[in-house]
PDB file of all heavy atoms in Angstrom:
ATOM      1  N   PRO A  52     108.596  48.611  88.370  1.00  0.00           N
ATOM      2  CA  PRO A  52     108.686  47.334  87.803  1.00  0.00           C
ATOM      3  C   PRO A  52     107.412  47.137  86.902  1.00  0.00           C
ATOM      4  O   PRO A  52     106.449  47.868  87.138  1.00  0.00           O
ATOM      5  CB  PRO A  52     108.520  46.326  88.999  1.00  0.00           C
ATOM      6  CG  PRO A  52     108.705  47.155  90.171  1.00  0.00           C
ATOM      7  CD  PRO A  52     108.493  48.553  89.853  1.00  0.00           C
ATOM      8  N   ILE A  53     107.432  46.225  85.968  1.00  0.00           N
ATOM      9  CA  ILE A  53     106.124  45.830  85.247  1.00  0.00           C
ATOM     10  C   ILE A  53     105.489  44.767  86.089  1.00  0.00           C
ATOM     11  O   ILE A  53     106.211  43.864  86.427  1.00  0.00           O
ATOM     12  CB  ILE A  53     106.230  45.647  83.805  1.00  0.00           C
ATOM     13  CG1 ILE A  53     107.450  44.606  83.473  1.00  0.00           C
ATOM     14  CG2 ILE A  53     106.403  46.995  83.032  1.00  0.00           C
ATOM     15  CD1 ILE A  53     107.446  44.183  82.026  1.00  0.00           C
ATOM     16  N   TYR A  54     104.234  44.979  86.441  1.00  0.00           N
ATOM     17  CA  TYR A  54     103.574  43.979  87.370  1.00  0.00           C
ATOM     18  C   TYR A  54     103.077  42.866  86.699  1.00  0.00           C
ATOM     19  O   TYR A  54     102.500  42.854  85.528  1.00  0.00           O
ATOM     20  CB  TYR A  54     102.508  44.867  88.137  1.00  0.00           C
ATOM     21  CG  TYR A  54     103.171  46.040  88.834  1.00  0.00           C
ATOM     22  CD1 TYR A  54     102.885  47.385  88.369  1.00  0.00           C
ATOM     23  CD2 TYR A  54     103.946  45.896  89.954  1.00  0.00           C
ATOM     24  CE1 TYR A  54     103.370  48.424  89.075  1.00  0.00           C
ATOM     25  CE2 TYR A  54     104.511  47.071  90.599  1.00  0.00           C
ATOM     26  CZ  TYR A  54     104.289  48.233  90.032  1.00  0.00           C
ATOM     27  OH  TYR A  54     104.722  49.388  90.619  1.00  0.00           O
ATOM     28  N   TYR A  55     103.143  41.765  87.415  1.00  0.00           N
ATOM     29  CA  TYR A  55     102.619  40.423  86.883  1.00  0.00           C
ATOM     30  C   TYR A  55     101.024  40.460  86.738  1.00  0.00           C
ATOM     31  O   TYR A  55     100.410  40.894  87.715  1.00  0.00           O
ATOM     32  CB  TYR A  55     102.993  39.321  87.769  1.00  0.00           C
ATOM     33  CG  TYR A  55     104.347  38.745  87.730  1.00  0.00           C
ATOM     34  CD1 TYR A  55     105.057  38.518  88.972  1.00  0.00           C
ATOM     35  CD2 TYR A  55     104.941  38.492  86.572  1.00  0.00           C
ATOM     36  CE1 TYR A  55     106.379  38.071  88.910  1.00  0.00           C
ATOM     37  CE2 TYR A  55     106.336  38.104  86.439  1.00  0.00           C
ATOM     38  CZ  TYR A  55     107.009  37.935  87.582  1.00  0.00           C
ATOM     39  OH  TYR A  55     108.214  37.356  87.544  1.00  0.00           O
ATOM     40  N   HIS A  61      97.773  45.720  94.391  1.00  0.00           N
ATOM     41  CA  HIS A  61      97.545  45.808  95.892  1.00  0.00           C
ATOM     42  C   HIS A  61      98.412  46.963  96.271  1.00  0.00           C
ATOM     43  O   HIS A  61      99.036  47.732  95.505  1.00  0.00           O
ATOM     44  CB  HIS A  61      97.742  44.491  96.546  1.00  0.00           C
ATOM     45  CG  HIS A  61      99.195  43.981  96.187  1.00  0.00           C
ATOM     46  ND1 HIS A  61     100.309  44.422  96.613  1.00  0.00           N
ATOM     47  CD2 HIS A  61      99.418  42.867  95.365  1.00  0.00           C
ATOM     48  CE1 HIS A  61     101.381  43.790  96.071  1.00  0.00           C
ATOM     49  NE2 HIS A  61     100.852  42.859  95.393  1.00  0.00           N
ATOM     50  N   GLY A  63     101.314  47.029  97.381  1.00  0.00           N
ATOM     51  CA  GLY A  63     102.679  47.049  96.933  1.00  0.00           C
ATOM     52  C   GLY A  63     102.907  47.617  95.561  1.00  0.00           C
ATOM     53  O   GLY A  63     103.854  48.563  95.411  1.00  0.00           O
ATOM     54  N   THR A  67     104.966  51.502  94.888  1.00  0.00           N
ATOM     55  CA  THR A  67     106.098  51.731  93.976  1.00  0.00           C
ATOM     56  C   THR A  67     105.754  52.777  92.877  1.00  0.00           C
ATOM     57  O   THR A  67     106.458  53.709  92.694  1.00  0.00           O
ATOM     58  CB  THR A  67     106.591  50.413  93.343  1.00  0.00           C
ATOM     59  OG1 THR A  67     106.738  49.435  94.245  1.00  0.00           O
ATOM     60  CG2 THR A  67     107.893  50.565  92.721  1.00  0.00           C
ATOM     61  N   ASP A  92     103.691  42.958  83.116  1.00  0.00           N
ATOM     62  CA  ASP A  92     104.497  41.786  82.699  1.00  0.00           C
ATOM     63  C   ASP A  92     103.541  40.630  82.425  1.00  0.00           C
ATOM     64  O   ASP A  92     102.918  40.108  83.368  1.00  0.00           O
ATOM     65  CB  ASP A  92     105.363  41.433  83.840  1.00  0.00           C
ATOM     66  CG  ASP A  92     106.546  40.422  83.649  1.00  0.00           C
ATOM     67  OD1 ASP A  92     106.454  39.911  82.482  1.00  0.00           O
ATOM     68  OD2 ASP A  92     107.384  40.294  84.485  1.00  0.00           O
ATOM     69  N   TRP A 269     111.707  36.703  82.490  1.00  0.00           N
ATOM     70  CA  TRP A 269     112.419  37.761  83.214  1.00  0.00           C
ATOM     71  C   TRP A 269     113.216  38.552  82.123  1.00  0.00           C
ATOM     72  O   TRP A 269     113.368  39.763  82.217  1.00  0.00           O
ATOM     73  CB  TRP A 269     113.401  37.246  84.200  1.00  0.00           C
ATOM     74  CG  TRP A 269     112.752  37.421  85.445  1.00  0.00           C
ATOM     75  CD1 TRP A 269     112.145  36.532  86.349  1.00  0.00           C
ATOM     76  CD2 TRP A 269     112.694  38.777  86.208  1.00  0.00           C
ATOM     77  NE1 TRP A 269     111.650  37.255  87.469  1.00  0.00           N
ATOM     78  CE2 TRP A 269     111.960  38.584  87.414  1.00  0.00           C
ATOM     79  CE3 TRP A 269     113.090  40.037  85.994  1.00  0.00           C
ATOM     80  CZ2 TRP A 269     111.672  39.531  88.306  1.00  0.00           C
ATOM     81  CZ3 TRP A 269     112.732  41.031  86.873  1.00  0.00           C
ATOM     82  CH2 TRP A 269     112.066  40.836  87.990  1.00  0.00           C
ATOM     83  N   ALA A 272     110.859  40.706  80.171  1.00  0.00           N
ATOM     84  CA  ALA A 272     110.344  41.755  81.072  1.00  0.00           C
ATOM     85  C   ALA A 272     111.224  42.896  81.320  1.00  0.00           C
ATOM     86  O   ALA A 272     111.067  44.134  81.128  1.00  0.00           O
ATOM     87  CB  ALA A 272     109.908  41.271  82.485  1.00  0.00           C
ATOM     88  N   TYR A 276     112.063  48.321  79.750  1.00  0.00           N
ATOM     89  CA  TYR A 276     112.502  49.550  79.978  1.00  0.00           C
ATOM     90  C   TYR A 276     113.153  50.294  78.737  1.00  0.00           C
ATOM     91  O   TYR A 276     113.212  51.478  78.638  1.00  0.00           O
ATOM     92  CB  TYR A 276     113.605  49.647  81.081  1.00  0.00           C
ATOM     93  CG  TYR A 276     113.135  48.912  82.311  1.00  0.00           C
ATOM     94  CD1 TYR A 276     113.818  47.815  83.022  1.00  0.00           C
ATOM     95  CD2 TYR A 276     112.012  49.381  83.048  1.00  0.00           C
ATOM     96  CE1 TYR A 276     113.469  47.348  84.187  1.00  0.00           C
ATOM     97  CE2 TYR A 276     111.542  48.902  84.287  1.00  0.00           C
ATOM     98  CZ  TYR A 276     112.274  47.792  84.713  1.00  0.00           C
ATOM     99  OH  TYR A 276     111.861  47.249  85.989  1.00  0.00           O
ATOM    100  N   GLY A 305     111.037  46.753  94.126  1.00  0.00           N
ATOM    101  CA  GLY A 305     111.066  46.042  95.518  1.00  0.00           C
ATOM    102  C   GLY A 305     112.320  45.334  95.646  1.00  0.00           C
ATOM    103  O   GLY A 305     112.993  44.780  94.718  1.00  0.00           O
ATOM    104  N   GLU A 307     112.992  42.404  96.359  1.00  0.00           N
ATOM    105  CA  GLU A 307     113.042  40.861  96.010  1.00  0.00           C
ATOM    106  C   GLU A 307     113.583  40.718  94.632  1.00  0.00           C
ATOM    107  O   GLU A 307     113.926  39.586  94.068  1.00  0.00           O
ATOM    108  CB  GLU A 307     111.688  40.199  96.282  1.00  0.00           C
ATOM    109  CG  GLU A 307     110.592  40.367  95.117  1.00  0.00           C
ATOM    110  CD  GLU A 307     110.010  41.781  94.972  1.00  0.00           C
ATOM    111  OE1 GLU A 307     110.537  42.678  95.432  1.00  0.00           O
ATOM    112  OE2 GLU A 307     109.016  41.757  94.211  1.00  0.00           O
ATOM    113  N   ILE A 308     113.546  41.894  93.815  1.00  0.00           N
ATOM    114  CA  ILE A 308     113.878  41.608  92.397  1.00  0.00           C
ATOM    115  C   ILE A 308     115.132  42.422  92.062  1.00  0.00           C
ATOM    116  O   ILE A 308     115.415  42.851  90.874  1.00  0.00           O
ATOM    117  CB  ILE A 308     112.686  42.036  91.448  1.00  0.00           C
ATOM    118  CG1 ILE A 308     112.195  43.425  91.580  1.00  0.00           C
ATOM    119  CG2 ILE A 308     111.492  40.966  91.477  1.00  0.00           C
ATOM    120  CD1 ILE A 308     111.154  43.866  90.707  1.00  0.00           C
ATOM    121  N   HIS A 334     113.382  49.432  97.234  1.00  0.00           N
ATOM    122  CA  HIS A 334     112.649  49.608  98.566  1.00  0.00           C
ATOM    123  C   HIS A 334     112.470  48.410  99.288  1.00  0.00           C
ATOM    124  O   HIS A 334     112.579  47.221  98.621  1.00  0.00           O
ATOM    125  CB  HIS A 334     111.507  50.615  98.468  1.00  0.00           C
ATOM    126  CG  HIS A 334     110.334  49.970  97.545  1.00  0.00           C
ATOM    127  ND1 HIS A 334     109.775  48.851  97.996  1.00  0.00           N
ATOM    128  CD2 HIS A 334     109.986  50.428  96.448  1.00  0.00           C
ATOM    129  CE1 HIS A 334     108.784  48.664  97.086  1.00  0.00           C
ATOM    130  NE2 HIS A 334     108.929  49.550  96.019  1.00  0.00           N
ATOM    131  N   SER A 335     112.057  48.478 100.561  1.00  0.00           N
ATOM    132  CA  SER A 335     111.581  47.266 101.230  1.00  0.00           C
ATOM    133  C   SER A 335     110.111  47.014 101.220  1.00  0.00           C
ATOM    134  O   SER A 335     109.439  47.608 100.355  1.00  0.00           O
ATOM    135  CB  SER A 335     112.154  47.325 102.701  1.00  0.00           C
ATOM    136  OG  SER A 335     113.500  47.544 102.610  1.00  0.00           O
ATOM    137  N   PHE A 336     109.614  46.272 102.059  1.00  0.00           N
ATOM    138  CA  PHE A 336     108.058  45.727 102.014  1.00  0.00           C
ATOM    139  C   PHE A 336     107.231  46.327 102.988  1.00  0.00           C
ATOM    140  O   PHE A 336     107.592  46.479 104.080  1.00  0.00           O
ATOM    141  CB  PHE A 336     108.186  44.358 101.986  1.00  0.00           C
ATOM    142  CG  PHE A 336     108.314  43.548 100.761  1.00  0.00           C
ATOM    143  CD1 PHE A 336     108.710  44.217  99.549  1.00  0.00           C
ATOM    144  CD2 PHE A 336     107.829  42.214 100.546  1.00  0.00           C
ATOM    145  CE1 PHE A 336     108.943  43.659  98.385  1.00  0.00           C
ATOM    146  CE2 PHE A 336     108.047  41.590  99.289  1.00  0.00           C
ATOM    147  CZ  PHE A 336     108.519  42.309  98.344  1.00  0.00           C
ATOM    148  N   TRP A 337     105.980  46.590 102.494  1.00  0.00           N
ATOM    149  CA  TRP A 337     104.853  46.946 103.435  1.00  0.00           C
ATOM    150  C   TRP A 337     104.606  45.532 104.100  1.00  0.00           C
ATOM    151  O   TRP A 337     104.427  44.497 103.382  1.00  0.00           O
ATOM    152  CB  TRP A 337     103.650  47.415 102.661  1.00  0.00           C
ATOM    153  CG  TRP A 337     103.709  48.847 102.462  1.00  0.00           C
ATOM    154  CD1 TRP A 337     103.912  49.373 101.206  1.00  0.00           C
ATOM    155  CD2 TRP A 337     103.603  49.906 103.286  1.00  0.00           C
ATOM    156  NE1 TRP A 337     103.864  50.756 101.335  1.00  0.00           N
ATOM    157  CE2 TRP A 337     103.831  51.075 102.536  1.00  0.00           C
ATOM    158  CE3 TRP A 337     103.419  50.033 104.672  1.00  0.00           C
ATOM    159  CZ2 TRP A 337     103.592  52.408 103.122  1.00  0.00           C
ATOM    160  CZ3 TRP A 337     103.377  51.304 105.258  1.00  0.00           C
ATOM    161  CH2 TRP A 337     103.396  52.397 104.450  1.00  0.00           C
TER     162      TRP A 337
HETATM  163  O1  ME8 B  13     108.088  40.939  90.254  1.00  0.00           O
HETATM  164  N1  ME8 B  13     105.577  46.156  99.608  1.00  0.00           N
HETATM  165  O2  ME8 B  13     106.122  41.769  89.369  1.00  0.00           O
HETATM  166  P1  ME8 B  13     105.127  41.806  90.711  1.00  0.00           P
HETATM  167  C1  ME8 B  13     106.089  47.083  98.881  1.00  0.00           C
HETATM  168  N2  ME8 B  13     106.960  41.077  87.012  1.00  0.00           N
HETATM  169  N3  ME8 B  13     106.205  46.743  97.443  1.00  0.00           N
HETATM  170  C2  ME8 B  13     105.641  45.592  97.048  1.00  0.00           C
HETATM  171  C3  ME8 B  13     105.065  44.569  97.805  1.00  0.00           C
HETATM  172  C4  ME8 B  13     104.966  44.897  99.239  1.00  0.00           C
HETATM  173  N4  ME8 B  13     104.451  44.108 100.064  1.00  0.00           N
HETATM  174  N5  ME8 B  13     104.712  43.591  97.157  1.00  0.00           N
HETATM  175  C5  ME8 B  13     105.008  43.953  95.811  1.00  0.00           C
HETATM  176  C6  ME8 B  13     107.485  41.267  89.311  1.00  0.00           C
HETATM  177  N6  ME8 B  13     105.585  45.105  95.683  1.00  0.00           N
HETATM  178  C7  ME8 B  13     108.108  41.211  87.918  1.00  0.00           C
HETATM  179  C8  ME8 B  13     108.823  42.512  87.710  1.00  0.00           C
HETATM  180  S1  ME8 B  13     110.401  44.191  86.205  1.00  0.00           S
HETATM  181  C9  ME8 B  13     111.129  43.982  84.782  1.00  0.00           C
HETATM  182  C10 ME8 B  13     109.457  42.591  86.380  1.00  0.00           C
HETATM  183  C11 ME8 B  13     106.041  45.867  94.587  1.00  0.00           C
HETATM  184  O3  ME8 B  13     103.931  41.881  90.177  1.00  0.00           O
HETATM  185  C12 ME8 B  13     107.550  45.919  94.440  1.00  0.00           C
HETATM  186  O4  ME8 B  13     107.889  46.987  93.610  1.00  0.00           O
HETATM  187  O5  ME8 B  13     105.436  40.657  91.628  1.00  0.00           O
HETATM  188  C13 ME8 B  13     107.922  44.691  93.849  1.00  0.00           C
HETATM  189  O6  ME8 B  13     109.171  44.709  93.273  1.00  0.00           O
HETATM  190  C14 ME8 B  13     106.791  44.567  92.685  1.00  0.00           C
HETATM  191  O7  ME8 B  13     105.652  45.121  93.454  1.00  0.00           O
HETATM  192  C15 ME8 B  13     106.705  43.170  92.314  1.00  0.00           C
HETATM  193  O8  ME8 B  13     105.729  43.146  91.401  1.00  0.00           O
END
Side-chain angles (χ1 to χ4, degrees):
I53 46 171
Y54 303 108
Y55 283 133
H61 52 72
T67 315
D92 188 355
W269 259 106
Y276 303 128
E307 86 289 13
I308 56 176
H334 63 67
S335 301
F336 271 14
W337 280 107

